[in-house]
Amino acid sequence: MLERLGLTPRQREVLALLLDGKSNKTIARDLAISVETVKDHVAAVLRTLGVNSRTQAVAVVSRMPLASGSAAAPRRALLR
């Protein structure tokens, strides 16, 4: 299910870092992009998931079923 979210590879990376609880500034540093670009990616992720906050995004992703055969894999690893 996670692989069918319709997110770009970079948006999946940003979402994975959101799941790790990282701030926009830390995400920007980790991905070597600007904070403004991170904000754009976060906004796109929130729109795609149909939520209004980072917390809601994490909650939605946490409730999504894992792909078959990957039950032991952390959700954030499936996004990368």
Side-chain angles (χ1 to χ4, degrees), residues 9-26:
R10 184 60 98 181
Q11 290 167 350
R12 287 193 305 270
E13 287 178 311
V14 169
L15 179 55
L17 294 169
L18 289 176
L19 290 171
D20 287 339
K22 295 194 176 190
S23 68
N24 287 352
K25 186 175 181 178
T26 303

Side-chain angles (χ1 to χ4, degrees), residues 16 73-80:
R75 260 175 235 290
R76 65 183 170 274
L78 297 173
L79 294 167
R80 293 191 173 130

Side-chain angles (χ1 to χ4, degrees), residues 5 24 30 34-35 52 54 72:
L5 290 176
N24 287 352
D30 288 354
S34 74
V35 174
N52 297 315
R54 298 160 70 104

Side-chain angles (χ1 to χ4, degrees), residues 50-72:
V51 298
N52 297 315
S53 72
R54 298 160 70 104
T55 302
Q56 290 175 337
V58 170
V60 165
V61 172
S62 296
R63 289 191 306 265
M64 288 182 169
L66 294 170
S68 61
S70 63

Side-chain angles (χ1 to χ4, degrees), residues 23-43:
S23 68
N24 287 352
K25 186 175 181 178
T26 303
I27 293 170
R29 190 175 18 213
D30 288 354
L31 298 179
I33 58 178
S34 74
V35 174
E36 290 302 317
T37 300
V38 172
K39 289 178 184 179
D40 291 341
H41 287 310
V42 170

